[in-house]
Amino acid sequence: MTWLAWRVQRLQYLAAGGVILVVGLWLALSGWHGVASWSQATSRGDIIVLTALPGLLGLALGTSLVADEFHRGTNRLAWSQSISRTRWLASKLAVGTVVVGGLTGLLVPLLGWWSGALHTGVDVQPKLFDITGVVIVGYALFALMLGAALGAVIHKPGWAFAAGVPIFALVRLVVGALRSSLVSPVSLSTPFQTSEPNGWVLHYGYLPFGRTTPAVGRTWFGLPAQAAACFSRVSSAAGEAHCVLIAHLHWVWQYQPESHYWSLQWAETAIFVGLALVGLAATLVAVRHQQA
């Protein structure tokens, strides 16, 4: 059954492999030469392409896994050969998972090397975080299962893919907004404002002594009335330092340091793998309720 599942989708899998090969060559050539590729002619073009790649790859393969069978009616032939629906679905999803996970996994070390060769900054920042590390495998697996679930419900690969793109993008945005809280951030306190630390800076500002976060009802830039009045009357660094001292303030940076990169990677990957399992369960329910 596994061999049959491969043969049915082999053209799509080989096409996906070709895409990954082209992307890999692009990354290798641009990294070796130390210059960006054609897509860097536009601002952040390469980052946009690589950010979208895992989701598009997973959705393209996932929507065809079940929807193609339903659309052509070949699922009925398989189910009439003493093969249970669960086994039929398991074999198709198992092959798809291995292919998608393997293809994106091949990109992990190459993307890590390429991002360091062409882009400045630290990997924990959102710009590079989304295209490096194991999280891209989580994105692709979630997209695969999302596509399979939508295909099992809609039965048309094209429409399932079209529905999957905004859903996947929305989930990415929501999880991305929660990323900074997946691992407790670090606070760095200094007497006065200094250059920002190395990492992903979340918040910063003057706070009262003894606090590393604003009091309830206040923001990071919500100074006490005494300090705000003092700052409004000064225009020099010496005057600002005087205001800081009399108002008993200190400067606080709240950030995710580079050392939290892998903790954040595994935490976000776990979320997307969990969502992929939800998609798997939804696909199984839809297939079991499909009329023969």
Side-chain angles (χ1 to χ4, degrees):
M1 191 62 193
T2 301
W3 173 245
L4 180 60
W6 160 259
R7 286 183 59 83
V8 170
Q9 304 292 141
R10 66 185 182 278
L11 292 180
Q12 291 94 324
Y13 293 147
L14 292 174
V19 170
I20 296 300
L21 178 60
V22 171
V23 171
L25 291 174
W26 163 41
L27 295 174
L29 291 174
S30 60
W32 278 332
H33 289 288
V35 294
S37 62
W38 59 269
S39 65
Q40 286 211 7
T42 58
S43 177
R44 287 172 51 90
D46 53 353
I47 300 295
I48 294 173
V49 170
L50 293 172
T51 299
L53 180 62
L56 294 178
L57 178 69
L59 282 173
L61 294 178
T63 51
S64 64
L65 280 176
V66 179
D68 271 352
E69 300 269 9
F70 284 173
H71 185 62
R72 296 194 300 261
T74 53
N75 61 302
R76 297 186 180 92
L77 176 63
W79 297 345
S80 65
Q81 303 298 315
S82 70
I83 298 174
S84 69
R85 300 186 182 198
T86 301
R87 183 186 173 192
W88 173 82
L89 179 63
S91 62
K92 296 182 72 65
L93 292 182
V95 174
T97 298
V98 170
V99 172
V100 171
L103 290 177
T104 51
L106 289 174
L107 288 178
V108 170
L110 185 57
L111 281 169
W113 165 79
W114 176 86
S115 64
L118 292 185
H119 291 275
T120 58
V122 292
D123 289 348
V124 75
Q125 293 175 346
K127 177 181 178 181
L128 297 181
F129 186 94
D130 291 342
I131 64 168
T132 59
V134 295
V135 73
I136 64 173
V137 179
Y139 297 155
L141 292 179
F142 167 62
L144 175 76
M145 294 303 174
L146 174 63
L150 291 173
V153 173
I154 299 176
H155 296 185
K156 294 183 181 298
W159 285 109
F161 182 86
V165 169
I167 295 174
F168 179 81
L170 178 62
V171 173
R172 282 288 312 274
L173 288 173
V174 171
V175 176
L178 298 174
R179 181 184 299 158
S180 62
S181 60
L182 297 179
V183 177
S184 297
V186 171
S187 295
L188 174 64
S189 302
T190 58
F192 306 105
Q193 183 176 356
T194 58
S195 58
E196 66 180 53
N198 188 37
W200 176 22
V201 175
L202 306 175
H203 304 287
Y204 56 88
Y206 282 114
L207 296 177
F209 283 153
R211 297 201 64 90
T212 55
T213 57
V216 178
R218 291 189 177 274
T219 66
W220 279 87
F221 295 99
L223 294 171
Q226 178 189 11
C230 182
F231 274 102
S232 66
R233 297 193 299 267
V234 301
S235 58
S236 65
E240 182 177 320
H242 174 71
C243 293
V244 170
L245 291 174
I246 65 173
H248 304 289
L249 301 177
H250 65 155
W251 185 266
V252 178
W253 294 99
Q254 188 181 82
Y255 68 107
Q256 292 287 359
E258 186 71 0
S259 59
H260 286 185
Y261 171 77
W262 282 109
S263 297
L264 289 167
Q265 279 275 323
W266 287 114
E268 188 162 328
T269 301
I271 291 175
F272 278 95
V273 170
L275 292 173
L277 293 176
V278 173
L280 170 62
T283 306
L284 180 60
V285 170
V287 167
R288 284 184 171 178
H289 286 80
Q290 172 67 21
Q291 292 182 354

